[in-house]
């Protein structure tokens, strides 16, 4: 059981995450209700499935998002980290409450549907980008992708792309081809916006950590981030002090988690973050994908 002191420390770490996740979720919900549903655009992921249910049977997306994420969490619970699961639950509950409230209002329609699709993608991309930067998840296809990576070693980016494409194609049963193309445009703009917010979502970050507590940090990387690291001997040029240096390659989300953890256990640590254009090897891109 967490002590009061532990709860305060957890709140200091996660309060910014709470703000980003809340605002990001509200923006994503607004994009669906005000900028996607009125134009009957198709979508991807669990939102795309929710839109199909809305267009076909008039079921509010809140029900599909809530029930769908609950089922996916039960299915993949053992493969997900507690933090990932808890933030997914928070996003699911907030979405299930926000969408019905937003549906109570009427929103002005744009005559230019292309402009509407672009605007919807920008708003949703900003929202999801805030989620990803905070190392949180909107659930849905993120859960499936995470479980597939954990159990099958499937690349998260590739899994998300194919799952979203499948849902987008399935939308042909309720909307016309033009609406699907508008949905594809929406998703494209959304991905560009997410990329802007999180600084190239598909890239990786090489983190070099020089700390007096290399063992604790290494254990966090292995147990919580499901990665490994290279531990190297290091000697300070000025002090002559011997120590350890860790080098690890992470996703953008994971680098944020590592930074927060290092700040908690060793505020005097020295960290270097470097963008990496491509990573080939176990846990990242396989050799068969390079050409």
């Amino acid at each position: 059981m967490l002590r009061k002191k532990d709860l305060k420390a957890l709140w200091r770490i996660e309060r910014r995450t709470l703000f980003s996740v809340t605002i990001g979720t509200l923006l994503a919900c607004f994009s669906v209700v005000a900028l996607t549903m009125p134009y009957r655009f198709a979508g991807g992921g669990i939102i795309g499935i929710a839109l199909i249910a809305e267009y076909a049977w008039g079921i509010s997306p809140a029900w599909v998002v809530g029930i769908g994420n609950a089922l996916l969490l039960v299915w993949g619970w053992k493969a997900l980290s507690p933090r990932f699961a808890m933030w997914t639950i928070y996003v699911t509950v907030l979405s299930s409450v926000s969408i019905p409230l937003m549906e109570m209002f009427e929103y002005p329609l744009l005559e230019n549907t292309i402009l509407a699709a672009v605007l919807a993608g920008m708003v949703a991309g900003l929202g999801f980008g805030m989620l990803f930067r905070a190392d949180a998840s909107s659930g849905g296809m993120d859960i499936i992708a995470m479980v597939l990576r954990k159990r099958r070693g499937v690349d998260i980016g590739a899994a998300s792309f194919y799952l979203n494409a499948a849902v987008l194609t399935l939308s042909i049963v309720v909307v016309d081809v033009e609406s699907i193309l508008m949905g594809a445009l929406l998703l494209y703009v959304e991905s560009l916006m997410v990329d802007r917010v999180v600084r190239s979502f598909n890239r990786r970050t090489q983190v070099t950590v020089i700390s007096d507590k290399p063992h604790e940090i290494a254990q966090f990387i292995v147990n919580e981030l499901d990665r490994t690291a290279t531990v190297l001997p290091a000697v300070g040029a000025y002090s002559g002090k011997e120590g350890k240096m860790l080098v690890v390659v992470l996703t953008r989300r994971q680098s944020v988690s590592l930074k927060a953890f290092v700040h908690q256990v060793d505020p005097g640590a020295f960290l270097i973050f470097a963008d990496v254009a491509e990573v080939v090897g176990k846990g990242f891109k396989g050799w068969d994908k390079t050409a």
Side-chain angles (χ1 to χ4, degrees):
M1 186 174 181
L2 290 175
R3 296 174 298 177
K4 186 176 180 180
K5 182 179 179 181
D6 296 329
L7 290 173
K8 288 183 178 180
L10 182 63
W11 168 247
R12 285 196 298 269
I13 295 172
E14 298 289 3
R15 58 187 177 185
R16 291 185 179 179
T17 301
L18 177 64
F19 174 80
S20 295
V21 170
T22 301
I23 299 301
T25 301
L26 293 176
L27 286 172
C29 292
F30 178 80
S31 174
V32 171
V33 175
L35 300 170
T36 302
M37 288 169 49
Y39 304 92
R40 293 181 65 85
F41 294 150
I46 196 167
I47 292 296
I49 297 175
L51 291 173
I52 292 175
E54 160 67 24
Y55 300 152
W57 304 292
I59 300 174
S60 173
W63 288 99
V64 178
V65 171
I67 296 174
N69 279 340
L71 294 174
L72 288 172
L73 280 170
V74 171
W75 168 69
W77 183 265
K78 292 183 179 180
L80 303 174
S81 69
R83 184 181 186 277
F84 182 95
M86 293 307 298
W87 278 118
T88 300
I89 292 173
Y90 174 73
V91 171
T92 300
V93 173
L94 182 59
S95 298
S96 300
V97 173
S98 301
I99 290 176
L101 291 176
M102 292 180 181
E103 288 178 322
M104 297 172 61
F105 300 92
E106 293 186 3
Y107 304 94
L109 295 177
L110 300 175
E111 294 183 5
N112 190 324
T113 54
I114 294 179
L115 182 60
V118 171
L119 182 59
M122 292 178 65
V123 174
L126 177 60
F128 288 128
M130 293 181 71
L131 285 174
F132 296 155
R133 281 200 64 177
D135 193 30
S137 164
S138 59
M141 298 307 172
D142 279 355
I143 298 175
I144 298 177
M146 287 288 289
V147 173
L148 288 176
R149 185 187 70 81
K150 191 92 171 184
R151 295 178 179 174
R152 305 290 182 182
V154 177
D155 179 75
I156 291 181
S160 298
F161 172 79
Y162 288 118
L163 290 169
N164 286 329
V167 174
L168 192 66
T169 303
L170 183 63
S171 301
I172 192 67
V173 299
V174 292
V175 296
D176 55 26
V177 175
E178 183 176 335
S179 294
I180 292 179
L181 293 176
M182 287 297 178
L185 174 62
L186 188 161
L187 291 176
Y188 176 71
V189 174
E190 178 184 302
S191 67
L192 292 179
M193 194 65 185
V194 169
D195 189 61
R196 288 286 184 178
V197 175
V198 300
R199 295 183 181 180
S200 188
F201 182 57
N202 290 324
R203 289 176 177 263
R204 298 294 182 260
T205 300
Q206 177 180 308
V207 186
T208 303
V209 184
I210 302 173
S211 169
D212 292 331
K213 298 183 178 180
H215 179 72
E216 290 91 330
I217 297 172
Q219 288 299 309
F220 176 81
I221 293 172
V222 173
N223 297 328
E224 298 298 328
L225 302 182
D226 194 27
R227 294 292 182 190
T228 187
T230 301
V231 182
L232 302 171
V235 179
Y238 177 77
S239 64
K241 181 180 177 182
E242 295 184 356
K244 299 290 185 181
M245 178 173 66
L246 290 86
V247 179
V248 60
V249 178
L250 303 170
T251 65
R252 295 285 183 178
R253 297 187 196 183
Q254 292 170 333
S255 66
V256 174
S257 296
L258 178 60
K259 182 179 179 181
F261 178 78
V262 173
H263 175 71
Q264 179 185 3
V265 299
D266 186 9
F270 193 78
L271 281 79
I272 302 172
F273 296 86
D275 288 337
V276 178
E278 184 178 19
V279 182
V280 181
K282 187 176 180 180
F284 294 96
K285 182 187 292 185
W287 285 101
D288 58 329
K289 300 294 184 180
T290 60

